[in-house]
Amino acid sequence: MPSALPLADPAPLDGLLPASVTEGAETRRFGVYLHVPFCRVRCGYCDFNTYTSEELRGAKRSDYAGQAADEVALAGSVLRAAGLPQRPASTIFFGGGTPTLLPATDLAGMLAAVTDQFGLAPGAEVTTEANPDSVDLEYLLTLKRAGFTRVSFGMQSAVPHVLATLERTHDPARIPLVVQWAREAGLAVSLDLIYGTPGESLDDWRTSVEHALAQQPDHLSAYALIVEDGTKLARQIRSGQVSMPDDDLQADMYELLDGLVTEAGYDWYEVSNWSRGSGQRSQHNLSYWQGQDWWGIGPGAHSHVGGVRWWNVKHPAAYADRIAAGHSPGAGRETLDAATRAVERVLLGARIREGVAIAGLAASGRTAVAGLIADGLVDPGSALRGTVVLTLRGRLLADAVVRRLLED
Ligand SMILES: C[S@@+](CC[C@H](N)C(=O)[O-])C[C@H]1O[C@@H](n2cnc3c(N)ncnc32)[C@H](O)[C@@H]1O
Ligand code: SF4
């Protein structure tokens, strides 16, 4: 089951925001995330907020696009009531769950609700995640006609035994097909890979990376497999049925990946992300790392506007009830103080290619930089230019680097 929500203050039923959110708003981009909380089956490693048909407790997938459109309308009135300037959406991202389990016309309707409410900034990025087994050419053409610009396929691996351990249901032979269809439809393509699956060898991983690169995607994300508490994978590891992912092997896999993708002409721009040139970076994900404003629509979705962060009730049935009653689906929220915002700037900024400005660090963090350079974790050239940018080894140990930058 998905994990519990964070503890914080309850969010108000009218969803209204304090006037403080307007401060500096004209310097921040605005984006919209739409969560689609449905999957046909749950993969054994996944603790995303997603539900199979049997887990929906009366909520209906077919009602969801309308509920999401209602929350979009609420978002428009809450942002106006707070006195925020009208900002068109720079990025829109449909994530899941499996957005492509819904008919393409539902996704088109949700997108129209967002663009009617906020408008679209010139060159806006509109992405959906997609499972390779839930789209065809017609589906992708409908998305393109509706205004989508980009699709991100959950490839994960090209190796059948790895996909089987992950409990992925798609046939790897489908990847070239869906990528070709997306291209024909005129959509930019990103592929998601996972490395460090129990039983996956370095050669298996090389095969997956080479298969991914053979598709010439515009963008590639590669995530180290995380064993999340409460998942089937965690239970299988506890009972000794499968082995724990090996940290050293995962590090070797990351190094191999970085070498292969760099050789193929991709640029690294975030710990887990590479693109063909800066124009193909995921602008939506960058806005999370840069602390921009975004509204998260749907069950369990998180939002951030001007230092106020909130999250919605998690279950689709609870969400449907709130929306039907004309209430905000917000469950909890917190207002970030200046110290927390400074810590988050380091936590998020250290993950991206632009790095963190040394001048913005506390005195202890500034002192730590020389030691991090000596340990080969921070690029000395970047420090001369006044920023902390991680080396390859630094990216592998990003959490430890951030801890040292935040040390008191
Ligand atoms: C919401 S899923 C993507 C959409 C779609 N449902 C799918 O799985 O293809 C987002 C991505 O998160 C990654 N992911 C999910 N659970 C993970 C875990 N436990 N460890 C590492 N990566 C994970 C996968 O690569 C997945 O493609
Ligand atoms: S399809 Fe994606 S969201 Fe659904 S259970 Fe699998 S990894 Fe999680």
Side-chain angles (χ1 to χ4, degrees):
M1 286 304 284
S3 54
L5 284 168
L7 296 173
D9 299 330
L13 272 186
D14 55 15
L16 289 179
L17 291 167
S20 61
V21 297
T22 55
E23 219 173 284
E26 55 293 332
T27 64
R28 295 189 300 273
R29 290 198 306 273
F30 176 64
V32 179
Y33 171 77
L34 296 106
H35 188 68
V36 180
F38 311 117
C39 283
R40 206 164 50 73
V41 288
R42 176 179 289 279
C43 310
Y45 59 91
C46 178
D47 86 334
F48 279 70
N49 190 43
T50 187
Y51 301 83
T52 60
S53 306
E54 301 74 50
E55 296 167 341
L56 282 175
R57 299 205 308 250
K60 290 205 198 75
R61 279 186 203 159
S62 52
D63 292 341
Y64 183 63
Q67 294 159 358
D70 287 347
E71 191 187 349
V72 171
L74 172 88
S77 51
V78 165
L79 295 172
R80 277 190 298 277
L84 282 156
Q86 175 75 25
R87 289 174 298 176
S90 296
T91 62
I92 303 177
F93 193 100
F94 287 68
T98 308
T100 49
L101 259 195
L102 295 180
T105 47
D106 279 11
L107 299 191
M110 290 156 77
L111 175 56
V114 174
T115 54
D116 290 352
Q117 187 61 232
F118 299 109
L120 266 188
E125 175 193 275
V126 183
T127 306
T128 184
E129 289 179 344
N131 275 28
D133 48 9
S134 60
V135 294
D136 58 19
L137 177 59
E138 193 46 47
Y139 192 104
L140 294 164
L141 283 168
T142 306
L143 294 185
K144 175 67 182 176
R145 281 193 292 266
F148 282 79
T149 62
R150 189 169 176 273
V151 60
S152 169
F153 290 114
M155 171 178 173
Q156 321 307 357
S157 169
V159 177
H161 79 86
V162 175
L163 288 168
T165 305
L166 291 173
E167 301 192 326
R168 297 294 299 195
T169 51
H170 67 265
D171 174 357
R174 211 172 152 79
I175 297 293
L177 213 53
V178 293
V179 171
Q180 188 195 321
W181 287 334
R183 287 253 158 68
E184 264 178 71
L187 295 162
V189 173
S190 178
L191 296 175
D192 278 358
L193 293 172
I194 288 184
Y195 58 95
T197 300
E200 182 181 32
S201 68
L202 200 56
D203 275 345
D204 290 333
W205 175 236
R206 180 190 293 276
T207 302
S208 290
V209 176
E210 286 174 351
H211 269 73
L213 290 175
Q215 310 316 316
Q216 303 189 315
D218 303 288
H219 183 276
L220 197 67
S221 303
Y223 304 107
L225 179 67
I226 313 251
V227 181
E228 306 280 5
D229 281 348
T231 57
K232 181 172 170 191
L233 178 65
R235 289 193 293 281
Q236 288 171 322
I237 288 175
R238 248 199 331 274
S239 69
Q241 235 176 305
V242 296
S243 56
M244 185 71 183
D246 176 317
D247 287 349
D248 289 338
L249 181 57
Q250 278 190 333
D252 290 347
M253 288 173 162
Y254 187 87
E255 285 180 5
L256 176 67
L257 163 78
D258 189 66
L260 291 171
V261 298
T262 305
E263 207 174 294
Y266 292 76
D267 295 330
W268 167 74
Y269 73 96
E270 192 275 342
V271 167
S272 307
N273 289 282
W274 291 259
S275 69
R276 270 176 191 282
S278 55
Q280 300 292 345
R281 294 180 182 183
S282 164
Q283 293 302 323
H284 188 81
N285 287 339
L286 275 170
S287 64
Y288 296 150
W289 300 316
Q290 294 166 343
Q292 311 285 353
D293 287 350
W294 70 91
W295 192 294
I297 300 286
H302 287 233
S303 303
H304 169 261
V305 177
V308 178
R309 197 155 55 189
W310 70 95
W311 43 91
N312 287 349
V313 291
K314 287 192 86 169
H315 198 280
Y319 179 80
D321 288 348
R322 290 279 192 104
I323 294 288
H327 292 148
S328 156
R333 87 175 182 191
E334 58 194 4
T335 302
L336 308 176
D337 57 23
T340 312
R341 290 173 87 165
V343 166
E344 297 210 342
R345 258 199 307 279
V346 176
L347 268 170
L348 300 172
R351 299 179 63 89
I352 58 178
R353 188 184 178 118
E354 282 66 27
V356 180
I358 294 175
L361 296 171
S364 54
R366 293 199 296 272
T367 313
V369 174
L372 289 165
I373 292 171
D375 293 345
L377 301 173
V378 165
D379 170 19
S382 75
L384 285 175
R385 293 189 298 276
T387 50
V388 169
V389 175
L390 303 178
T391 57
L392 179 58
R393 201 170 108 73
R395 282 188 259 154
L396 281 164
L397 298 170
D399 291 347
V401 174
V402 167
R403 271 198 299 279
R404 284 169 65 179
L405 289 174
L406 291 172
E407 257 167 15
D408 295 322

